[in-house]
Amino acid sequence: MFAVRSRFSADRSSMPRRRGGSLPASGLLDLNVRRTRVTQFLVGLGVLVIGVIGLVSAPSEEYSGWRGLVVVAVSISALPVAVRWFVGRWPSPRWLVAFIVYSDVSITVCLLLKDTDMTAIGGTVLFAVVTSLAVVAVPLLPCVLHMLYGAVVLGIVAVKTVHSGAASGWVVAAHSLTMLLMFSAPLILMVYVSELRSRARESLVDSLTGLHNRRGLFAAVTAVSVTARKVEPSVLCAVVIDVDGMKGVNDTYGHHTGDAVLVDLAQHLRALAVNHWVVARLGGDEFACVSIGRPADIAVRSEELVSNLACARMISGLTVSVGAATVAISVGDDEQQSARDGLRLADAEMYRLKASRKRSSGPQRHGVSVMGVSTVATGRESTVRAPQRH
């Protein structure tokens, strides 16, 4: 429990505002855990089927000699990848891009080693299958590069087919255009996915501060749970921050100044809690930071967050009350419900601290010209003052 005092500035018109909060590195938006698991299962099933196709075609007339052995090796490599999709957590963006690269290389090897070039042209449809995942799961640039790569491989296979005399140029051109049409079909999906992502971000981000809003906080907690390694035991720590005396600031200086105070606090929270914490504005002048991990890690993170907040130089003369609570998480627990419980307990602790300070110190004074930090711990309060800022 602590309170942060810092210098207040009535003129904040020149301060830049950061917009467009981001979700955790997973890239998942307002996801449903069950739908995510279904998507993982379908991707794993697709990888498994592609591997089986390679194993079945390897001993056929499509491959001869050592080429069949290479295709068998590539197909076998798909089996552990499929198992990883079945039983693992949702991959990070970096691993998703690595999976796209793995798929492209594997498909290319199998296609270029075919003895029957016409079937190789039909096999390029697998690039379009991989594109369906790329459009939804990876950023735009890797997705576009994947699609261009598939078109280049199709061109190489088409030239190889014409050069070998397996079919006339007109037949090869017709089949190649058909495959290009298959490649372009996901572009329609890309347009809609981009629009859905934009709308989802808008619904999950607080327009004033650029942090998550309440809905975005719960979505981010779920995304962290889906992508994080399952560690036992694990706990969820919720820290609630509330600005004291905001009504007085709004009444005295105007709501534009009150908004500037909130944006300033949001910038500090974003900088101080950049690692391991989900930061959100719950509404009004109340903010929250949530983190999930092992008890020992959470204890260190909480201590660091408190220490960093104590040293922060915010442009404000208000007192910020903070309450923290830790909730244990068991396997199968609803992380969003755990987050609600943690926020409820932290909120109660924060208001208990606020009431305690009011009883002990009386009316608060605002607009002080120095930055100080008051830390309340085991009934003892200490104050640290920094030089005045002019």
Side-chain angles (χ1 to χ4, degrees), residues 83-364:
V83 172
R84 166 63 180 78
W85 277 99
F86 286 134
V87 301
R89 64 188 187 276
W90 185 266
S92 66
R94 183 174 299 177
W95 279 109
L96 282 170
V97 173
F99 172 74
I100 300 297
V101 173
Y102 159 80
S103 301
D104 287 348
V105 172
S106 300
I107 294 172
T108 302
V109 170
C110 294
L111 293 180
L112 295 182
L113 291 180
K114 280 179 177 287
D115 293 328
T116 54
D117 295 324
M118 282 302 297
T119 60
I121 293 179
T124 57
V125 72
L126 293 177
F127 287 114
V129 175
V130 177
T131 302
S132 300
L133 173 66
V135 167
V136 176
V138 302
L140 179 61
L141 179 59
C143 181
V144 171
L145 292 177
H146 158 75
M147 299 176 72
L148 291 176
Y149 176 83
V152 170
V153 173
L154 173 61
I156 294 174
V157 172
V159 171
K160 184 171 177 286
T161 303
V162 173
H163 186 266
S164 66
S168 67
W170 293 107
V171 173
V172 173
H175 283 76
S176 299
L177 288 175
T178 302
M179 291 300 102
L180 285 175
L181 186 61
M182 295 291 295
F183 290 176
S184 64
L187 290 174
I188 301 175
L189 179 61
M190 184 183 299
V191 172
Y192 280 94
V193 167
S194 299
E195 177 65 19
L196 290 174
R197 282 176 172 167
S198 177
R199 293 185 180 184
R201 288 191 178 95
E202 290 177 0
S203 68
L204 301 177
V205 173
D206 175 61
S207 59
L208 175 65
T209 63
L211 300 176
H212 298 296
N213 56 23
R214 183 180 292 270
R215 183 166 176 255
L217 171 65
F218 293 128
V221 167
T222 301
V224 169
S225 175
V226 169
T227 58
R229 182 185 305 174
K230 301 302 180 183
V231 179
E232 292 297 337
S234 61
V235 296
L236 179 146
C237 179
V239 178
V240 174
I241 305 101
D242 181 82
V243 182
D244 300 320
M246 261 319 278
K247 184 178 184 302
V249 173
N250 290 328
D251 292 343
T252 303
Y253 300 101
H255 287 276
H256 67 285
T257 302
D259 289 345
V261 172
L262 297 178
V263 172
D264 179 54
L265 177 57
Q267 288 179 329
H268 282 80
L269 290 176
R270 184 187 286 109
L272 298 178
V274 64
N275 294 320
H276 307 296
W277 292 91
V278 177
V279 186
R281 180 190 178 197
L282 300 181
D285 58 348
E286 190 167 322
F287 296 79
C289 302
V290 175
S291 183
I292 300 176
R294 296 180 298 181
D297 295 336
I298 290 297
V300 173
R301 293 175 195 172
S302 302
E303 184 177 354
E304 289 180 350
L305 181 60
V306 171
S307 176
N308 289 333
L309 281 172
C311 298
R313 299 179 66 87
M314 291 178 288
I315 307 176
S316 159
L318 303 177
T319 300
V320 179
S321 299
V322 175
T326 301
V327 178
I329 302 178
S330 302
V331 177
D333 285 354
D334 184 350
E335 287 79 8
Q336 290 196 8
Q337 185 58 49
S338 298
R340 292 188 183 94
D341 294 340
L343 290 172
R344 176 175 51 82
L345 295 174
D347 196 59
E349 180 67 13
M350 182 268 296
Y351 278 108
R352 188 197 67 78
L353 170 62
K354 185 189 292 280
S356 175
R357 289 212 328 272
K358 285 183 178 180
R359 289 193 300 268
S360 61
S361 60
Q364 298 286 329

Side-chain angles (χ1 to χ4, degrees), residues 41-65:
F41 176 81
L42 292 176
V43 174
L45 184 62
V47 175
L48 183 62
V49 170
I50 292 175
V52 171
I53 291 174
L55 290 175
V56 171
S57 62
S60 68
E61 64 276 8
E62 292 185 335
Y63 300 97
S64 60

